[in-house]
Amino acid sequence: MKKILSILVVVVMLLSVAAMAETAEPLKVGFSLPSMTFPFYVRMYEQFMEEAEQRGWEVTFVDGNLDAGTQMNGCQDLINSGVDVMVIATWYIDALADIYTQCKEKGIGVFEMDNMVLPEATADCFTFTTGTDNYNAGVVGGTWCAGYLKEQNIESVNVILVSAMSEQQTKRCTGFTDGLSQNGIEVNVLNNYNGGVRETAMQVCENALTAYADLDIIYGGSAQDSLGGYDATVGAGRTEVMVVGFDGEDEEIEKIDAGTNYIATITQDPSGQSTNVANYIDKWLAGETFDQQLETPAGVYCAAGQLAGADIIG
C-alpha cells in the first residue's frame, strides 16, 4: 500500500511540474532594427525570428524606418510593455542612450547587434554585443584581393577609395589597403572620395576615371559606393578597372556572378549575429558569465562563391 501511495505521489508531482511548465510565461523579447529596406537587416530579422520561434520566445518587433526618433519611441514602447530582453541594431546608438539606461535600471538585458564600438557613457548598460569589426573586415577583403592580383602577376595597383567618410567606413578603407600592402601588393592611393549614396559615388568615380588613366581598382566602403563606381566604369567604357565593394547586397552578387569587372564584395554575417545573440541570451538566462563583446568575422563573395574570413586570412 505504501509503495502504491509513493508512486501516486511521484505521479502527482510530475504532473504538477508539467502543468507549471505549460503555464510558464514565455520570454518577452523586444526587437528593433534601423530599417527593413536593406537585405542585410532582412536576413538579420529572419534568422533571429527563427531562433526565437525554436525557443518559444514572444517577440515584439519595431522598425526604426531610418529615423532616430521613430526607433527611440518604438523602443520606449517596448520597455513600457514589460519586455524581459531588448535586442537592438541601430545607426543611432548615441540617440538611444536613455533607452539603454532605462533597461539597466529595470533589469532588462540589452543585446546589441551590428556594433562593436559602444559609447563610453552607456557601455555598462549592454549585456552583450556582436558585429563585424570594420578594420578587420577591410583587411579580409584586402588580403583576398592581394591573392587575386598575384594570380594575375600584378604586384602594384593604383586605387581610389569611395565612402561616406564616417569613422566606420574610413576603417573599412584603411583595412582594405593594409590588407593589400601586408600581402605584398604595392598600393598607390590616388584619391579618397566622399560618396555615401550611389549617385554621388558614380559622379565622383566618373571624375576619377577622367583624371586617372592608370586607375586599377575602385574600392567602395559600402555597396552604394561600389555600385556607383561600377556604374561609372560601364558608362565610361572603362571596364578594365576592377571594383571591390562592401556589404554583399544582392545586386553586387549578381554582378559578380555575371563575370563583370565587379570582382568581389566583403560580406558581413547578419544571420550569424542573430544566432550569436540568441545563444548568448540563453547563457544570460542560465546565469552564465561571458565576455561582453564577440566579433562576427567578415568574409568575401567572389567568383568562387562565399569565402569565410578564416579561410582567407589563414
Side-chain angles (χ1 to χ4, degrees):
M1 186 66 178
K2 289 182 178 180
K3 287 184 177 179
I4 293 173
L5 287 173
S6 297
I7 292 171
L8 287 173
V9 169
V10 171
V11 169
V12 170
M13 289 176 64
L14 290 173
L15 290 173
S16 298
V17 170
M20 289 173 64
E22 288 179 0
T23 58
E25 289 287 328
L27 186 73
K28 294 181 66 176
V29 180
F31 183 26
S32 181
L33 298 176
S35 172
M36 288 294 284
T37 60
F38 300 100
F40 176 88
Y41 290 115
V42 172
R43 292 195 292 271
M44 182 177 282
Y45 171 87
E46 290 176 346
Q47 183 63 32
F48 185 76
M49 295 302 287
E50 182 178 321
E51 298 283 351
E53 183 178 2
Q54 291 173 3
R55 292 164 169 82
W57 296 343
E58 179 184 303
V59 180
T60 303
F61 177 70
V62 169
D63 186 346
N65 287 313
L66 296 177
D67 180 76
T70 299
Q71 188 167 30
M72 180 176 64
N73 291 335
C75 288
Q76 185 65 63
D77 290 341
L78 292 173
I79 292 173
N80 294 343
S81 72
V83 296
D84 305 305
V85 172
M86 288 281 279
V87 176
I88 304 174
T90 184
W91 295 356
Y92 317 108
I93 195 164
D94 291 322
L96 297 184
D98 185 56
I99 295 296
Y100 301 129
T101 300
Q102 288 184 59
C103 286
K104 180 183 178 182
E105 292 171 350
K106 295 177 181 293
I108 299 170
V110 177
F111 292 77
E112 189 84 9
M113 291 194 280
D114 195 29
N115 202 312
M116 289 293 287
V117 181
L118 300 178
E120 185 176 343
T122 53
D124 63 344
C125 297
F126 295 87
T127 308
F128 173 77
T129 182
T130 186
T132 304
D133 182 275
N134 288 290
Y135 176 80
N136 291 344
V139 171
V140 167
T143 301
W144 173 87
C145 194
Y148 176 87
L149 294 170
K150 286 179 178 179
E151 288 177 357
Q152 301 174 66
N153 298 314
I154 298 173
E155 297 181 353
S156 65
V157 286
N158 294 319
V159 179
I160 64 166
L161 307 173
V162 187
S163 75
M165 298 291 191
S166 65
E167 179 183 356
Q168 293 87 345
Q169 292 196 15
T170 298
K171 288 180 178 178
R172 294 176 181 181
C173 293
T174 303
F176 179 73
T177 55
D178 284 354
L180 284 169
S181 60
Q182 289 167 8
N183 288 278
I185 301 298
E186 182 182 343
V187 183
N188 180 25
V189 177
L190 299 174
N191 215 327
N192 284 272
Y193 289 99
N194 192 353
V197 296
R198 186 166 181 165
E199 293 77 11
T200 303
M202 182 178 69
Q203 291 170 4
V204 298
C205 287
E206 287 173 344
N207 294 338
L209 290 166
T210 300
Y212 306 115
D214 55 352
L215 176 61
D216 298 306
I217 297 176
I218 295 172
Y219 172 73
S222 73
Q224 295 305 302
D225 293 309
S226 44
L227 286 168
Y230 172 80
D231 293 340
T233 65
V234 172
R238 294 283 304 279
T239 54
E240 82 282 0
V241 177
M242 295 170 278
V243 179
V244 178
F246 194 112
D247 280 334
E249 289 192 1
D250 292 345
E251 188 176 353
E252 294 180 273
I253 290 170
E254 289 169 4
K255 295 189 186 320
I256 293 164
D257 288 345
T260 70
N261 57 313
Y262 205 118
I263 61 170
T265 179
I266 300 167
T267 57
Q268 301 182 79
D269 185 7
S271 296
Q273 291 187 43
S274 290
T275 298
N276 283 339
V277 162
N279 289 339
Y280 273 77
I281 291 175
D282 288 338
K283 292 176 184 288
W284 181 67
L285 292 172
E288 295 184 30
T289 57
F290 47 80
D291 291 336
Q292 186 183 37
Q293 293 187 301
L294 176 68
E295 182 179 350
T296 305
V300 168
Y301 189 90
C302 59
Q306 180 65 47
L307 305 178
D311 294 333
I312 294 167
I313 298 295

